[in-house]
Amino acid sequence: MTLPRPIGAREQKLIELYSHCEFGMTPRMFYSKWCVSYEQISVICSRSPSTVRRWFRRGKNCRYPTQDDLRHLAIMDFLFEHFEEIPDELRNLLCPRNE
C-alpha cells in the first residue's frame, strides 16, 4: 500500500483555481446546441428521463438541475467539441474503457 502524496504549493493553487471554476451548461443550452434526446441527457447526467423532462417544464412541476448536472453537460459539450484533440493517453485516463 502506498502513502498518500503530500499537497504542495502547486496543488494548493490548483485547488484554488478549481474551487472558483464555474464550468457548467444548462440543459436548455445543451439541448439547443446538440441534437440529443431527453433520454440521452438523462444518461449523461445519470438521472431518470422523467427528471430531465421536468428540467424543461415551467410552473409547479418543473425541477432544476444540480450543479453536478450542469457540470456533466459542460464536460460532455467539451468532449463533443474536442475529443479528437485530446491525446490518447489523456483520453484513456479521463474515460477508461471497461473491457
Side-chain angles (χ1 to χ4, degrees), residues 46-73:
S46 297
R47 302 288 180 206
S48 71
S50 63
T51 295
V52 172
R53 281 192 294 276
R54 287 187 192 114
W55 293 345
F56 290 89
R57 289 188 183 152
R58 303 211 187 273
K60 67 177 184 171
N61 290 326
C62 79
R63 261 198 166 161
Y64 298 99
T66 67
Q67 192 63 40
D68 285 342
D69 298 320
L70 302 180
R71 189 176 300 113
H72 282 297
L73 293 173

Side-chain angles (χ1 to χ4, degrees), residues 39-95:
E39 287 75 19
Q40 289 167 317
I41 293 174
S42 75
V43 170
I44 293 166
C45 297
S46 297
R47 302 288 180 206
S48 71
S50 63
T51 295
V52 172
R53 281 192 294 276
R54 287 187 192 114
W55 293 345
F56 290 89
R57 289 188 183 152
R58 303 211 187 273
K60 67 177 184 171
N61 290 326
C62 79
R63 261 198 166 161
Y64 298 99
T66 67
Q67 192 63 40
D68 285 342
D69 298 320
L70 302 180
R71 189 176 300 113
H72 282 297
L73 293 173
I75 291 169
M76 193 74 245
D77 176 64
F78 180 86
L79 290 173
F80 280 168
E81 291 282 1
H82 303 285
F83 194 71
E84 287 74 21
E85 299 166 38
I86 301 170
D88 287 342
E89 185 177 316
L90 181 57
R91 192 182 322 165
N92 291 335
L93 288 172
L94 290 171
C95 303

